[in-house]
Every structure is written in C-alpha cells, then in structure tokens.
Amino acid sequence: MTYQSSITDLRHTIENAGAPWAAIDAESAARMKLQNRFPTGLDIARYTARIMREDMAAYDADPAQYSQSLGCWHGFIGQQKLIAIKKHFGTTNKRYLYLSGWMIAALRSEFGPLPDQSMHEKTSVPALIEELYTFLRQADARELGGLFRELDKAREGGDEVEAKRLQHAIDNHETHVVPIIADIDAGFGNAEATYLLAKKMIEAGACAIQIENQVSDEKQCGHQDGKVTVPHEDFLQKIRAVRYAFLELGVEDGVIVARTDSLGAGLTKQIAYSKEPGDLGDQYNSFLDCEEVDAGQIGNGDVLITRDGKLLRPKRLPSNLFQFRAGTGEDRCVLDSITSLQNGADLLWIETEKPHIGQIGGMVNRIREVIPNAKLVYNNSPSFNWTLNFRQQVFDAWTEAGKDVSAYDRARLMSVDYDSTDLAAEADERIRTFQADAAREAGIFHHLITLPTYHTAALSTDNLAREYFGDAGMLGYVKNVQREEIRQGIACVKHQNMSGSDIGDDHKDYFAGEAALKAGGEHNTMNQFAAA
C-alpha cells in the first residue's frame, strides 16, 4: 500500500465515523501507521522468517550470497548497528542481528555478571529480543519522521518534483527490522521448557532459534572445557519442540539452527537407549571409551553395555559422567549434524576451536554426502586469537611448500615485531577474505561474531577514560568522540533526536495542534548540530 492510498483509506474511515472523529487528520494517522509497520512481535517473526528463507535459497544458488550479523547486547547497540549499515551500504540486505546467550549471562542477568552456563533468567532472552525490535522500530519511525518533515517543507515551498521524490522514498522505505538469530542455549530444561521459552522468543519477534546439544544443567560456553552432550534423541525432542512452537504461532517459515558442541565435548551424561545394533542410540554409544570385561571382572556399581557379543564397561568418572574416546569429535559432529537436519533443523552450527576453513569444510563435505544442501551458521568468535591463528596457518603453509621460515618463531607470531612482515600481510589478507572463502569452500551461509559489541564498548570506554580523566580533560571527549561523530555523520550526535524528541513533537502537533508545547524550538541546543 502506498503512502497516498493509506491516507485515502484512513480519510474514508474517518469520514464514515462522523463528527466524533472530525478532529482526526487522515495524513497524520497514516504517518503514525507507517512508522509502526510491525505492531507485534509475531508480525516481525513472520516477516523476517521469509527474508531468511529467501536468503538461504539465494545462498544455495550462489555461495557468494552469504549473510552476516554482529551480536548486540542492548537495543540501542542493535539500532545503531542497523543505522550504520543503512548509512554506509544503503541497504540492510543479508545483514542480521545475533542475540548471544553469553552476553545475556554476562550483561543482562539480575544476578549480575555470570559465566555462560545458562544460570541467567530465561525470561531475559525474549526480553532482549523485544528490546532490540523496539529500538529498530523506533529507528524506522525516526527516519520516516525526517522524510515527512522534508515532504512538508517541499509542499510549503511549492516544489512538486521534490515532493514526488520524497513520496517515492516513503513508499519504498527499507525497514531497519531484520532477522534475529536468537540463542536459546541448551533449552533451559526439558523439551517442554524449551517449547515454552521458544514461544516467548517467537512472540517477541525471533524468526530463528539456535539450540545446542549440551546437557541443559551442565551447559558451558562452547569455547570452554567441561562440555557434556546428550544422546541424539534427547536433542531431537528439543528440535521438535521448537518446530511445534513456530507452527503453533503461525510462523511456518521459522528457522531452527542446530548447534553441535561435540568437537570440544569429551563427556556425556548418559548412555543412549538402543533397541538394535546400528540404530541411533547404538551409534552414539559406539563413541564411548570402553574396556572389554568378562563376568568375573564386574565390580560393584559397574555400568555395562554389550556390542558384537562382547561385554563392555564404559569409562565413568567420579562425576558420574561417561567419557568418549579421544579423536572422535569430528565423527560425532558429522553424525549430530546429519541427524539434526533429518529431524527438523534448517541450519547447522559447528563450534570449533579455531577458524580453519579446511577443518570446517572437511566436516561439511561429509555431511553433504547425505544432505546435499547442508549449510552452516558459523561463529567468527572473539575467543579465537585470529592474528595468531592465521599467522600460524600461513607459517605452516609456507613450511609445507618448502618456503624459508627461518626468520619466524612460530610460538611468537603474535608479536608486534612481525606486524610489517610478508607473513603477517598474507595472514591479514586471509582474515579479510575468510568469510567469503569459507562461504564458498566450507558451506557457511551465515557468518556472525558473537560478542563484538561487548569488546567495542570496553575498548571505547577505556580510551575515553584514559583521555578524559588524564591531561586531555574535556578535549579527550570533544576531539575523540564528538568531533568524530560530527565529521563521520554519526546520527546520535543529535542525541535528543535519536531518543525520540522529534517524534514526540510530531505527536504533539497531531494531538494538540497550535496548543502544542514542543521541544524543538530555536533555543534547543541540538540546533548547534544542524549542519552535522
């Protein structure tokens, strides 16, 4: 529906209402309606799910069409990210938001900062989704409000060409609302608990839910030790629970991202149930670290399984956890991924210990032997030392190629002493092209950084504190923050406008007319940034 047709429809509605609605202006109502394009979270989830499905199909046709996101821990951060993307690239196409369980635990828990072990309130996850979309919807309202003001100015000046241009811009306005891939951790309990939380997340606007195969009450960060996985059937119940939640709420295109932590998880909490040799439970149990025993060797409390006519005792730790055989991680990841895709998941997430395209691609190729269109969401994690990892990869590649590496100490490649070397330059180029290369060679549809804004907030605050509380004083803020905001065109330099002051003034005009007491008068100090 165009801007003008919306005005016409509302004018008809108001006229039919008669005298009680006589003071309502159809165009003002049309503007408010357009500024609130997505009244509910379910409207957002349905809209963004379609976008994500279209992007997945585009990637299947051309791996260069991968998508990206950054993790955001506050609505304002997500809003500024999307405003920046539109400013620099003119479109939000294939740019999403990522909601990290780690950042919720560390930054959004009522208990205070917590490790990534699902100890935070589960309701804080849908609350952050709702907050992010509230800020993105306000970004729409702010941008459209600016276009409406320009349109009024063009009309007042009699500039019909400019008025038509602005009406076209309004009709074709691209929303800041984009898909969110939201982390539900290990589901916060059993399958029923997963279903209930998934519904809350979807109702808040999530079109994509990421769930991992760790034990819910033993959950660890994917980049830390002590991870414990569950048998496949336990995990598949939770995948089905999320799908039922999407379908119940009418988000048929909802996306499930199945994450396997098996590469770094050496433990399981339970032995899988198996009916017959070769079934899924038996395959899971085949990875257990076992020793063969006979009847005379059975000890008190031993847990035993049989395979191929042999009596086996799985290695059980004092924690009552069972240990997998060393070196089985990749095989377990492949089996986890195949079974997840065969049972309702749409995308995979393989948590690795390093960003190595060969390692990731090797597993994806094996998965694609069974599921040809399998594709990944991949964590370009800040837990990786990207500089050291890629310098070591180049060092190893040069060594294998017979190139002289005597000038380099592999263990010290992070050193600033190597920053100007050819090895460092090649490593940086590999980092620069990592996403495109991995999308092409390792089946990665979506690249994300889980915790980037956590780190940027810390870095920028450290820099400001050093300058402002040091000799620079106020110049530390003016030179390094405000002056750069003005010169780089950062929208929030006009922080009153960003917080909704102009939107509020527009509403005062609609509601009170000439009696409106507005904030945007000539004495508003934001006018000092009129040329910014």
Side-chain angles (χ1 to χ4, degrees), residues 213-214 220-229 259-268 323-333 336 349-354 359 363:
N213 69 335
Q214 290 191 47
Q220 293 276 12
C221 174
H223 292 286
Q224 292 191 301
D225 210 351
K227 293 183 290 297
V228 184
T229 62
R259 170 176 144 181
T260 172
D261 283 274
S262 290
L263 196 62
L267 303 168
T268 184
Q323 186 168 297
F324 290 115
R325 286 181 285 113
T328 62
E330 288 198 10
D331 290 339
R332 285 183 281 127
C333 279
D336 294 343
W349 173 316
I350 299 177
E351 195 76 285
T352 65
E353 82 286 2
K354 59 182 179 295
Q359 178 196 38
M363 287 186 280

Side-chain angles (χ1 to χ4, degrees), residues 11 168 234 480:
R11 185 173 289 126
H168 179 79
D234 292 38
N480 298 319

Side-chain angles (χ1 to χ4, degrees), residues 11-69:
R11 185 173 289 126
H12 180 71
T13 300
I14 292 167
E15 289 172 353
N16 284 343
W21 285 22
I24 301 297
D25 177 67
E27 184 160 7
S28 298
R31 290 181 176 188
M32 295 175 74
K33 188 174 180 179
L34 187 56
Q35 285 174 302
N36 187 25
R37 179 178 167 187
F38 303 100
T40 72
L42 285 176
D43 293 320
I44 292 171
R46 295 185 187 109
Y47 169 76
T48 54
R50 288 194 297 272
I51 289 175
M52 201 162 172
R53 291 287 179 178
E54 290 168 1
D55 288 348
M56 290 161 66
Y59 173 81
D60 287 340
D62 178 7
Q65 299 299 311
Y66 60 90
S67 55
Q68 300 166 289
S69 65

Side-chain angles (χ1 to χ4, degrees), residues 482 486 493-495 525-532:
Q482 189 182 76
I486 294 170
V493 70
K494 301 177 184 178
H495 50 258
T525 56
M526 287 291 101
N527 293 333
Q528 296 174 36
F529 301 101

Side-chain angles (χ1 to χ4, degrees), residues 201-338:
M201 294 168 68
I202 297 162
E203 287 169 341
C207 73
I209 293 178
Q210 166 215 329
I211 186 166
E212 64 201 53
N213 69 335
Q214 290 191 47
V215 176
S216 184
D217 59 356
E218 301 283 356
K219 185 258 188 300
Q220 293 276 12
C221 174
H223 292 286
Q224 292 191 301
D225 210 351
K227 293 183 290 297
V228 184
T229 62
V230 297
H232 294 93
E233 180 53 34
D234 292 38
F235 186 53
L236 299 179
Q237 289 175 21
K238 293 187 177 183
I239 289 177
R240 289 192 284 271
V242 175
R243 180 61 65 206
Y244 274 109
F246 273 125
L247 293 173
E248 177 184 339
L249 295 172
V251 187
E252 288 82 2
D253 288 337
V255 176
I256 299 174
V257 181
R259 170 176 144 181
T260 172
D261 283 274
S262 290
L263 196 62
L267 303 168
T268 184
K269 194 166 188 177
Q270 64 202 79
I271 295 171
Y273 174 70
S274 173
K275 291 182 179 179
E276 58 187 38
D279 65 14
L280 196 52
D282 188 51
Q283 291 180 68
Y284 186 80
N285 294 339
S286 71
F287 296 115
L288 294 171
D289 189 359
C290 301
E291 60 177 343
E292 187 175 350
V293 297
D294 58 40
Q297 296 175 305
I298 299 175
N300 183 59
D302 274 354
V303 173
L304 304 172
I305 62 174
T306 60
R307 184 180 299 118
D308 299 328
K310 298 176 181 177
L311 194 61
L312 302 175
R313 178 166 53 209
K315 184 171 182 180
R316 185 165 58 158
L317 305 181
S319 60
N320 204 32
L321 300 173
F322 296 92
Q323 186 168 297
F324 290 115
R325 286 181 285 113
T328 62
E330 288 198 10
D331 290 339
R332 285 183 281 127
C333 279
V334 170
L335 183 60
D336 294 343
S337 300
I338 291 171

